[in-house]
Amino acid sequence: MGRKDIITKEYMEDTEVFADVFNHMIYKGEKVIDPKNLKELDTANVIIPYGANGAEVPYQKYRDVFKILCAMEDENAVYLLLGVENQSNVHYAMPVKNMVYDSLEYAAQVQKAEASHKKARKEKDPKEKKPDSAEFLSGFYREDRLLPIITVVVYFGADSWDAPRSLHEMLIVQDESILSLVPDYRINLIAPGEMSEEELEHFTSNFREVMQFIKYSKDTEKLSQLVEENTAFETMDRKAVRVMEEMTGMKIEKEVEEEKVNVCKAIQGIEERGRAAGRSEGIQIGAEHEQRLTKSLLKDNRIDDLKRALDDPAFRQKLLEEYGID
């Protein structure tokens, strides 16, 4: 898992942000999903294939593709949140990947129901009914029901999403007679570059400011105006600021000890930055050093040191010297 993966996943696991994303997608910003009711799920469960005990390994590739996966549930649904970090990582098979995730999670629910019934029968629970032959064979009783799976893809790029958004778009055949018999599968996508100001206002957490910052990251004038006019940028959470930095390539100065960051003040010290090709040689060298340090720390499994280095320039410099990066 790379630097961007770590920063983004840590940010999206915040229940306030997580609930905000799904309240926007499902309820147009109305606060229906309560962060307090969300329970984190082990994402490893998502890869367990139905009816194939011990066959997890072939499905490992799906987790390798999406290293930023957060999963939670409440009494109404299971929510899966996938993060796509930048333009280079737009996934052109996203509908199929999402479909696999959702299908495996439904399969896991079926297995969970079967295990629950077996346990109840073994313990002779008086509340457990005697299954008929069909129920016993499937392990899933007539009265059993599944929680709906809702997956949202968050694209952390300023450009438009140019990959397929549905299974039908990926098929070589476009004959309507054939397609009518092929169930379609559409992705639920959040792409800041495509969202209107009205849509962005649906968000009530600092996810709104993160999306706005990314949306206008390539327009210095609009970005400066946004930051200056929105007081929320004066007290931004550090995790949110890290995401803004990593996804835009901007360096936002932060006080080491402070939990909140004044982006309004920091952005005044940021020199005009264009696209990656227009960055200065010094910035490019600095980015290369950061990448080399990140790879070295990940290779040595020094995750805690990597997190500390994000906020402590002196400690980061010490690590650079330790690995001989100059």
Side-chain angles (χ1 to χ4, degrees):
M1 190 179 289
R3 179 189 176 101
K4 289 183 178 179
D5 298 333
I6 293 173
I7 291 173
T8 310
K9 189 174 189 300
E10 185 180 27
Y11 173 66
M12 292 194 302
E13 284 176 336
D14 185 312
T15 54
E16 293 285 344
V17 173
F18 195 99
D20 198 16
V21 168
F22 284 92
N23 278 327
H24 157 75
M25 186 60 68
I26 304 172
Y27 303 109
K28 299 187 183 303
E30 185 180 350
K31 293 185 177 182
V32 176
I33 300 173
D34 188 342
K36 296 178 182 178
N37 294 334
L38 291 175
K39 180 177 67 175
E40 187 173 359
L41 298 178
D42 182 359
T43 56
N45 291 334
V46 179
I47 69 162
I48 299 176
Y50 177 44
N53 293 331
E56 302 98 325
V57 176
Y59 291 86
Q60 185 69 32
K61 62 181 180 180
Y62 295 111
R63 292 178 65 205
D64 290 342
V65 171
F66 297 120
K67 293 183 174 63
I68 310 174
L69 169 63
C70 302
M72 298 190 189
E73 71 173 345
D74 58 18
E75 67 276 10
N76 297 314
V78 172
Y79 310 98
L80 302 181
L81 185 59
L82 299 176
V84 182
E85 61 188 30
N86 54 38
Q87 177 70 20
S88 63
N89 283 345
V90 166
H91 204 293
Y92 291 97
M94 187 66 80
V96 171
K97 298 302 182 182
N98 278 20
M99 185 168 59
V100 169
Y101 264 130
D102 292 355
S103 298
L104 292 176
E105 178 57 31
Y106 280 124
Q109 289 188 38
V110 171
Q111 289 185 322
K112 186 176 181 180
E114 180 180 11
S116 177
H117 290 312
K118 285 183 177 179
K119 180 180 179 182
R121 291 197 302 269
K122 183 177 180 180
E123 297 177 353
K124 297 182 179 181
D125 187 340
K127 296 181 180 179
E128 179 73 7
K129 78 168 193 176
K130 183 178 180 180
D132 59 30
S133 58
E135 291 173 323
F136 184 83
L137 182 63
S138 66
F140 195 78
Y141 289 9
R142 188 174 288 105
E143 299 83 5
D144 288 338
R145 294 294 182 269
L146 303 175
L147 286 174
I149 312 296
I150 303 170
T151 301
V152 173
V153 176
V154 180
Y155 173 51
F156 286 98
D159 298 320
S160 297
W161 177 272
D162 67 349
R165 305 178 188 224
S166 71
L167 178 63
H168 280 189
E169 291 179 50
M170 297 178 62
L171 301 180
I172 192 171
V173 176
Q174 292 300 309
D175 186 325
E176 290 297 330
S177 298
I178 295 177
L179 293 180
S180 66
L181 298 178
V182 179
D184 199 4
Y185 189 92
R186 298 191 61 83
I187 65 172
N188 301 310
L189 176 69
I190 291 179
E194 300 177 0
M195 300 181 72
S196 66
E197 286 298 331
E198 182 180 358
E199 289 175 315
L200 288 168
E201 288 300 321
H202 287 170
F203 300 117
T204 57
S205 71
N206 57 38
F207 187 79
R208 174 180 58 198
E209 283 69 47
V210 171
M211 292 292 100
Q212 289 175 326
F213 196 91
I214 293 173
K215 177 181 175 69
Y216 296 116
S217 60
K218 295 185 177 182
D219 188 324
T220 305
E221 185 176 341
K222 286 187 177 180
L223 181 62
S224 297
Q225 182 179 357
L226 168 70
V227 172
E228 290 174 3
E229 294 179 354
N230 188 344
T231 57
F233 282 103
E234 295 178 2
T235 54
M236 287 290 291
D237 182 80
R238 293 183 76 90
K239 292 180 181 178
V241 173
R242 288 175 185 168
V243 174
M244 289 157 52
E245 285 183 312
E246 289 298 320
M247 302 309 162
T248 64
M250 297 184 183
K251 182 63 178 177
I252 301 175
E253 295 299 326
K254 303 180 289 293
E255 297 292 335
V256 176
E257 301 277 330
E258 297 294 329
E259 282 300 317
K260 299 295 182 180
V261 179
N262 188 333
V263 178
C264 304
K265 180 179 179 181
I267 203 167
Q268 294 174 359
I270 298 177
E271 297 181 356
E272 182 176 356
R273 302 168 190 259
R275 299 178 184 273
R279 293 177 181 170
S280 68
E281 182 179 355
I283 293 176
Q284 290 177 343
I285 293 174
E288 291 172 1
H289 287 178
E290 290 282 346
Q291 291 174 3
R292 290 174 59 190
L293 177 60
T294 298
K295 289 180 180 179
S296 297
L297 290 172
L298 290 173
K299 182 180 179 180
D300 295 340
N301 198 29
R302 298 174 64 178
I303 303 301
D304 290 337
D305 285 345
L306 176 58
K307 291 181 178 180
R308 179 182 170 187
L310 297 175
D311 294 325
D312 191 338
F315 183 69
R316 182 165 61 251
Q317 182 60 39
K318 180 180 178 181
L319 292 174
L320 288 168
E321 294 173 357
E322 177 183 336
Y323 281 98
I325 301 173
D326 52 38

